[in-house]
Protein backbone atom coordinates (compact mmCIF):
# COMPACT_ATOMS: atom_id res chain seq x y z
CA UNK A 1 0.00 0.00 0.00
CA UNK A 2 1.34 3.44 -0.95
CA UNK A 3 1.73 6.00 1.82
CA UNK A 4 1.98 9.56 0.51
CA UNK A 5 0.59 13.07 0.89
CA UNK A 6 -0.01 16.02 -1.41
CA UNK A 7 -0.31 19.44 0.20
CA UNK A 8 -0.82 22.86 -1.37
CA UNK A 9 1.14 25.21 0.94
CA UNK A 10 -1.49 27.92 0.31
CA UNK A 11 -3.97 25.69 2.19
CA UNK A 12 -1.80 25.80 5.33
CA UNK A 13 -2.17 28.94 7.46
CA UNK A 14 0.79 31.29 7.77
CA UNK A 15 2.32 31.70 11.19
CA UNK A 16 5.10 33.98 12.39
CA UNK A 17 8.45 32.64 13.57
CA UNK A 18 8.81 33.12 17.31
CA UNK A 19 12.22 34.84 16.90
CA UNK A 20 11.53 37.26 14.02
CA UNK A 21 8.84 38.81 11.78
CA UNK A 22 9.14 36.27 8.95
CA UNK A 23 6.14 34.10 8.00
CA UNK A 24 6.22 30.32 7.86
CA UNK A 25 3.84 27.60 6.84
CA UNK A 26 4.49 24.46 8.88
CA UNK A 27 3.92 21.63 6.42
CA UNK A 28 5.20 18.69 8.50
CA UNK A 29 1.88 17.73 10.11
CA UNK A 30 -0.18 18.35 6.96
CA UNK A 31 2.13 16.02 5.05
CA UNK A 32 2.14 13.43 7.84
CA UNK A 33 5.96 13.53 7.78
CA UNK A 34 7.64 11.69 10.63
CA UNK A 35 11.30 11.48 9.55
CA UNK A 36 11.88 15.12 8.63
CA UNK A 37 10.54 18.65 9.12
CA UNK A 38 9.11 20.61 6.19
CA UNK A 39 8.39 24.34 6.23
CA UNK A 40 7.65 26.97 3.63
CA UNK A 41 9.38 30.20 4.62
CA UNK A 42 8.16 33.48 3.12
CA UNK A 43 10.74 36.27 3.40
CA UNK A 44 9.31 39.67 2.49
CA UNK A 45 11.53 42.58 1.36
CA UNK A 46 13.79 43.79 4.14
CA UNK A 47 13.16 40.78 6.40
CA UNK A 48 15.88 38.67 8.01
CA UNK A 49 15.41 35.43 9.92
CA UNK A 50 17.39 34.84 13.10
CA UNK A 51 20.89 33.42 12.53
CA UNK A 52 20.91 29.95 14.11
CA UNK A 53 22.14 26.38 14.08
CA UNK A 54 20.19 23.22 14.90
CA UNK A 55 21.21 20.60 17.46
CA UNK A 56 21.84 17.52 15.34
CA UNK A 57 19.59 18.55 12.44
CA UNK A 58 20.90 18.99 8.89
CA UNK A 59 18.82 21.32 6.72
CA UNK A 60 18.19 21.55 2.99
CA UNK A 61 16.70 24.73 1.55
CA UNK A 62 15.07 24.85 -1.91
CA UNK A 63 14.64 28.32 -3.41
CA UNK A 64 11.18 28.55 -4.97
CA UNK A 65 12.07 32.05 -6.19
CA UNK A 66 15.40 33.81 -6.60
CA UNK A 67 16.47 34.27 -2.99
CA UNK A 68 19.26 34.97 -0.52
CA UNK A 69 20.75 32.94 2.33
CA UNK A 70 23.52 33.83 4.76
CA UNK A 71 25.94 31.06 5.73
CA UNK A 72 28.29 31.98 8.59
CA UNK A 73 27.40 35.62 7.83
CA UNK A 74 28.27 35.48 4.11
CA UNK A 75 25.28 36.22 1.85
CA UNK A 76 24.74 33.91 -1.11
CA UNK A 77 22.41 34.60 -4.02
CA UNK A 78 20.44 31.45 -4.90
CA UNK A 79 18.59 31.18 -8.19
CA UNK A 80 15.04 29.84 -8.37
CA UNK A 81 15.27 26.07 -8.06
CA UNK A 82 18.66 26.21 -6.33
CA UNK A 83 19.29 23.84 -3.44
CA UNK A 84 21.41 24.57 -0.35
CA UNK A 85 22.49 21.99 2.28
CA UNK A 86 23.61 23.22 5.69
CA UNK A 87 25.39 21.17 8.38
CA UNK A 88 23.76 21.27 11.84
CA UNK A 89 26.68 23.27 13.35
CA UNK A 90 26.79 25.89 10.57
CA UNK A 91 25.10 29.22 11.29
CA UNK A 92 22.47 30.08 8.69
CA UNK A 93 19.62 32.50 8.11
CA UNK A 94 17.38 33.61 5.29
CA UNK A 95 17.20 37.26 4.28
CA UNK A 96 15.74 39.50 1.63
CA UNK A 97 17.72 42.57 0.62
CA UNK A 98 15.36 43.50 -2.21
CA UNK A 99 12.82 46.31 -2.24
CA UNK A 100 9.94 44.56 -3.96
CA UNK A 101 10.42 40.80 -4.32
CA UNK A 102 9.16 38.21 -1.84
CA UNK A 103 11.48 35.22 -1.44
CA UNK A 104 9.93 31.79 -0.91
CA UNK A 105 11.86 28.78 0.39
CA UNK A 106 11.07 25.19 1.23
CA UNK A 107 13.10 24.10 4.25
CA UNK A 108 13.66 20.43 5.06
CA UNK A 109 15.28 19.32 8.31
CA UNK A 110 16.31 15.80 9.25
CA UNK A 111 16.25 14.12 11.61
CA UNK A 112 13.21 15.86 13.09
CA UNK A 113 14.70 16.88 16.45
CA UNK A 114 12.73 18.96 18.96
CA UNK A 115 9.08 19.57 18.16
CA UNK A 116 7.18 20.99 15.22
CA UNK A 117 6.51 24.08 17.31
CA UNK A 118 10.18 24.86 17.97
CA UNK A 119 11.33 24.00 14.41
CA UNK A 120 13.84 21.42 15.57
CA UNK A 121 15.63 23.09 18.48
CA UNK A 122 17.00 26.40 17.25
CA UNK A 123 20.34 27.31 18.74
CA UNK A 124 20.86 31.07 18.73
CA UNK A 125 24.25 32.39 19.84
CA UNK A 126 23.92 34.80 22.75
CA UNK A 127 26.50 37.50 22.08
Amino acid sequence: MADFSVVDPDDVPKEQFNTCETSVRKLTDSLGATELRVNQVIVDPGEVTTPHTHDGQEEVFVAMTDAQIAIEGDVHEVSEGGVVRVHPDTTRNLLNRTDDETHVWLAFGAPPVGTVDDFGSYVVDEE
Side-chain angles (χ1 to χ4, degrees), residues 38-84:
V38 186
N39 293 305
Q40 182 190 61
V41 184
I42 301 110
V43 189
D44 287 326
E47 288 185 344
V48 177
T49 64
T50 304
H52 66 282
T53 61
H54 284 284
D55 276 340
Q57 185 181 61
E58 186 171 49
E59 279 189 302
V60 171
F61 296 90
V62 179
M64 304 306 292
T65 61
D66 290 346
Q68 300 160 332
I69 188 170
I71 307 292
E72 298 291 341
D74 294 325
V75 177
H76 301 271
E77 301 287 334
V78 181
S79 298
E80 180 180 336
V83 180
V84 179

Side-chain angles (χ1 to χ4, degrees), residues 13-63:
K14 285 184 189 177
E15 299 180 32
Q16 184 178 334
F17 276 108
N18 57 359
T19 60
C20 63
E21 300 296 317
T22 304
S23 295
V24 62
R25 287 186 171 109
K26 299 176 185 177
L27 305 177
T28 304
D29 284 346
S30 296
L31 287 166
T34 59
E35 302 300 320
L36 74 147
R37 296 253 184 274
V38 186
N39 293 305
Q40 182 190 61
V41 184
I42 301 110
V43 189
D44 287 326
E47 288 185 344
V48 177
T49 64
T50 304
H52 66 282
T53 61
H54 284 284
D55 276 340
Q57 185 181 61
E58 186 171 49
E59 279 189 302
V60 171
F61 296 90
V62 179

Side-chain angles (χ1 to χ4, degrees), residues 46-124:
E47 288 185 344
V48 177
T49 64
T50 304
H52 66 282
T53 61
H54 284 284
D55 276 340
Q57 185 181 61
E58 186 171 49
E59 279 189 302
V60 171
F61 296 90
V62 179
M64 304 306 292
T65 61
D66 290 346
Q68 300 160 332
I69 188 170
I71 307 292
E72 298 291 341
D74 294 325
V75 177
H76 301 271
E77 301 287 334
V78 181
S79 298
E80 180 180 336
V83 180
V84 179
R85 182 205 57 89
V86 184
H87 185 275
D89 297 333
T90 300
T91 302
R92 80 295 305 260
N93 65 293
L94 304 174
L95 64 152
N96 185 339
R97 293 183 173 169
T98 69
D99 292 327
D100 58 356
E101 299 173 15
T102 296
H103 295 175
V104 179
W105 291 90
L106 288 179
F108 301 86
V113 297
T115 67
V116 172
D117 291 330
D118 73 15
F119 298 104
S121 298
Y122 266 178
V123 178
V124 179

